[in-house]
Amino acid sequence: MTAASVDDRGAPLDLRLVPAALAGWAVVLAGLCLGYQAAAALGGVSLLAAVLGGRSAAVLAAGGVSAALALVVGAQGWQVEHHPVRAAADRGSVATLVVQIRDDPHPLVTSGYGGRRPQPQRIVVSAGLESADLAGHQWRTGGRVMLLAPAAGWAGVLPGQRVRVSGLLAAPDRSDLTVAVLRVRGEPEVLAAPSALQQGAERLRSGLREASAQVLGPEAAGLLPALVVGDTSAMVSAVKEEFRAAGLSHLTAVSGANVAIVCGAVLGLARLAGAGPRTAAVLAGLALAGFVVLCRPSPSVLRAAVMGSVALLALVVGRRRSALPALCAAVCALLLIDPALGADLGFALSVLATGALVLLAPSWSAALRRSGVPPGIAEALAVPAAAHVVTAPVVAGFSGQVSLVAVVANLLAAPAVAPATVLGVLAALLASVQPGAAILVVHLAGPAVGWLVAVGHHGAAVPDGVLRWPQGTAGGLLLAAVVVVVLLALRAYRLRVLVAAGVAGALVILVPTRYAVPGWPATGWVVVACDVGQGDAVVLATAEPQTAVLVDAGPEAAAVSGCLDRLGIRRLALVVLSHLHADHIGGLAGALAGRTVGAVALGPGRSPGWAFADVMRVTSAARVPLVALSTGQQLSWPGLVLDVLGPLRAPPPSTEVAAEVDGTVVNNSSVVLRASTPAGRVLLAGDVELDAQADLLNASTDLRADVLKVPHHGSRYTAVEFLSAVRPRVAMISVGAQNNYGHPNRQVLGALAASGCELLRTDLQGDLAVTTGNGRLEVVVRGSAHRPP
């Protein structure tokens, strides 16, 4: 008997259903990816294996389960392939469908650059097909469809409702038994009111949102409903981005962990009250049913309930021998009910995480206890570590990256997740009957939620916290191999010592050179161009400690927040947004979070309209005033003076259409600033293009500066005459690595090089700083310093 087949109490694990679950899952994947013919062939092979398996229970179970799953996935695959709506989708036909909503609508968000807006105004909805009208032909048939629809009109639609929608059909691009995708035109026609169950759940959820908004700040108020019931509608965008970068996004989706926490709390309270095992089990079951109702009984929530029950059996009851067969049986049952889960990323992550809780977490927790770690802390450390290690290969294969901070971030977050979840559920239950009590409970949950916001913020700010990794199956298998080798190595004492020595050596090398960069922040810095990718964020120092002026905020919250954290900035006297393109305003929430901010300033431009509305929303949520800048205005602080040189022409109309037709018009409305600093003049030209540059030249504006933030990321729309008028000693280009816009332009780079100035780029050198070292202008990039000619 191997160590792997023995649990932490020395009893052998029951592995008989493991081959059945793995083989059945493989058959389902083959049927989904290769077609119903492959499923039928594998079903025959599985049935033959079951017949010839003799007395082997494991072989009999594997063969029987695989044959049953092959039959189910094969039959459903055949139905999808021969479905009348699938044929119409292949032709791109117009259709009117009557469907039943299966899950909450989810926003489709794509990153925006320039005048192109991120698109939260479209949603995706999973639905069950009831009937279809195709070119006058009526079909009453079932099947799974996906709806891509405008967000307008879907606010009150709840899972379980029947609606009629019209639009253009398209073939699905995923092998998950989806019959078709409908690009919906207009609003849905609601055919039936939500069920009483769904209406009750919505009242509880809205009560939690309202109580959170009354008590907590915007970041925490949006996070608590997401943490408790997966309701991310009020989450601040900066928190979403930071949680994703820190590997904490799973906390905002209903998972087995939520179920285990809620049911575990009920079991614990029942035991403390003296209830017997059966009574405690009944109460936990009722809590499970109520939690499913609160979260809405969608397929993802029901899956989480099943996985959470298994995790609860492993962690709360403590019988790992029973939990493993329960997990395997749950996998087989869920695949039989819905074979499409076989290719679902969430299902894979749930199964792997639950398996880690069953197989790894108890042993790791026991090992920590033997090392002197208190039991509660040992379990709090072992559970997230085991779940992250096991799911990391799947995440890496899907996303093409590995988070280097996720384990630490999850370990730090773990102690706050359970109290915040339990208190949030209690607040939701009280909100509709005792609003005052709900507010008190939210107050009690506030510190835990605030801690989670802080963990996400600081985790996302760690430099190089995400490692690029090969994407796809090969990348996932490669990381899985690395994980297995490391885990096996840690079982041997000598190898543990070797691994520990290697990690210590890596830390000795990496921490000084990458995380605690010598000389950074640069002593006496006066201006820093932050490496925020394809966007702008420039920090100007004042003579007041930890106080600066920020010009633009880059495309993402985590990048600009991390740069400000590295510089030690705790107060922003002013934030200037040069113009309203996404790569200059996208990170505004991250810049404002956790800092005292005097005001956010805009030039005369108010286009695109969506961007202006976003800026107003973010500043209002942060309680920061929004002010206007005008050409000719001068602002000053100790050690810094700003002169507003432009724009010199009227801004574009404040309409969405104008911005979308010509982003150049918006670029030319950029605020142009001249900063007087101890290191000399700094010209910040926003994204001005040829027309706005010509305006400044024709107006005989004094453009001379020691440092130039090259306009528009060094695009080809930069005039040599403009560069000659500035005559900079240092030119800083803020640009994203390997961007798709041809930035910076070769001719512009050549003109700058010919002028003899020092040329610096954030895509090649990271954060860039200009300092007053030894009484003269110097340049420091992260880790190296040199003087310009």
Side-chain angles (χ1 to χ4, degrees), residues 76-392:
Q76 293 192 21
W78 185 90
Q79 291 174 348
V80 168
E81 190 166 324
H82 294 83
H83 201 289
V85 176
R86 167 58 70 87
D90 291 335
R91 298 191 300 268
S93 302
V94 175
T96 298
L97 308 181
V98 174
V99 299
Q100 185 177 56
I101 304 302
R102 300 176 73 240
D103 207 344
D104 284 306
H106 296 287
L108 278 177
V109 180
T110 57
S111 59
Y113 169 72
R116 293 191 291 278
R117 172 185 186 169
Q119 299 291 326
Q121 73 270 26
R122 295 192 63 82
I123 55 156
V124 58
V125 188
S126 176
L129 180 62
E130 293 187 358
S131 65
D133 185 341
L134 305 171
H137 296 284
Q138 298 285 335
W139 297 86
R140 285 197 166 275
T141 180
R144 185 195 314 263
V145 293
M146 298 297 295
L147 310 178
L148 299 180
W154 287 85
V157 178
L158 299 176
Q161 279 191 278
R162 295 173 64 248
V163 300
R164 180 181 287 112
V165 289
S166 299
L168 193 66
L169 290 170
D173 58 359
R174 295 182 58 189
S175 301
D176 59 357
L177 298 179
T178 297
V179 173
V181 175
L182 182 71
R183 292 187 170 90
V184 178
R185 297 172 179 169
E187 299 182 1
E189 178 187 351
V190 178
L191 302 179
S195 66
L197 198 65
Q198 293 288 2
Q199 291 183 48
E202 181 56 29
R203 281 195 296 271
L204 295 176
R205 293 159 68 96
S206 62
L208 176 60
R209 288 194 299 268
E210 292 170 4
S212 301
Q214 291 182 46
V215 173
L216 306 175
E219 295 180 332
L223 178 59
L224 184 58
L227 184 71
V228 175
V229 294
D231 181 0
T232 60
S233 59
M235 276 191 75
V236 176
S237 58
V239 176
K240 288 183 181 180
E241 294 172 8
E242 289 169 353
F243 266 48
R244 183 168 57 250
L248 298 174
S249 292
H250 63 93
L251 297 179
T252 62
V254 178
S255 67
N258 300 71
V259 176
I261 288 170
V262 173
C263 294
V266 172
L267 277 175
L269 292 173
R271 295 288 179 85
L272 288 175
R278 291 186 178 179
T279 303
V282 170
L283 291 175
L286 292 175
L288 173 61
F291 187 68
V292 168
V293 171
L294 177 61
C295 297
R296 298 200 182 124
S298 62
S300 59
V301 172
L302 295 174
R303 180 196 69 210
V306 173
M307 291 299 148
S309 301
V310 175
L312 187 66
L313 181 65
L315 297 178
V316 178
V317 179
R319 299 184 60 183
R320 188 156 61 121
R321 175 176 169 80
S322 301
L324 184 58
L327 173 61
C328 295
V331 169
C332 296
L334 287 171
L335 291 175
L336 281 169
I337 295 170
D338 186 5
L341 289 174
D344 183 75
L345 177 66
F347 178 71
L349 294 176
S350 292
V351 172
L352 290 173
T354 306
L357 300 182
V358 171
L359 295 174
L360 293 182
S363 299
W364 290 12
S365 178
L368 290 172
R369 291 197 301 269
R370 288 194 297 269
S371 300
V373 179
I377 297 177
E379 187 171 286
L381 294 174
V383 169
H388 177 73
V389 166
V390 171
T391 56

Side-chain angles (χ1 to χ4, degrees), residues 356-529:
L357 300 182
V358 171
L359 295 174
L360 293 182
S363 299
W364 290 12
S365 178
L368 290 172
R369 291 197 301 269
R370 288 194 297 269
S371 300
V373 179
I377 297 177
E379 187 171 286
L381 294 174
V383 169
H388 177 73
V389 166
V390 171
T391 56
V394 176
V395 174
F398 177 78
S399 64
Q401 61 185 29
V402 176
S403 175
L404 302 179
V405 300
V407 172
V408 176
N410 278 275
L411 291 177
L412 292 173
V417 173
T421 301
V422 173
L423 291 171
V425 170
L426 182 58
L429 297 176
L430 292 172
S432 59
V433 292
Q434 289 290 339
I439 288 175
L440 176 61
V441 173
V442 172
H443 269 297
L444 296 176
V449 182
W451 172 256
L452 292 173
V453 171
V455 170
H457 175 69
H458 292 291
V462 173
D464 303 318
V466 177
L467 175 69
R468 292 186 181 274
W469 195 263
Q471 199 167 8
T473 303
L477 293 175
L478 175 61
L479 186 58
V482 172
V483 169
V484 169
V485 169
V486 171
L487 291 179
L488 291 176
L490 292 176
R491 295 176 66 88
Y493 174 76
R494 292 184 178 179
L495 288 176
R496 280 204 303 270
V497 173
L498 183 61
V499 170
V503 171
L507 291 175
V508 168
I509 296 172
L510 289 176
V511 170
T513 59
R514 298 184 71 84
Y515 298 100
V517 180
W520 194 268
T523 302
W525 67 270
V526 294
V527 57
V528 169

Side-chain angles (χ1 to χ4, degrees), residues 312 364 455 515 546 569 576 622 654 670 747:
L312 187 66
W364 290 12
V455 170
Y515 298 100
Q546 300 182 327
I569 301 302
V576 179
S654 181
S670 293
Q747 284 73 25

Side-chain angles (χ1 to χ4, degrees), residues 593-621:
R595 298 177 182 85
T596 303
V597 181
V600 173
L602 295 175
R606 297 292 182 269
S607 186
W610 67 264
F612 182 54
D614 277 359
V615 170
M616 289 195 296
R617 176 182 56 80
V618 172
T619 53
S620 175

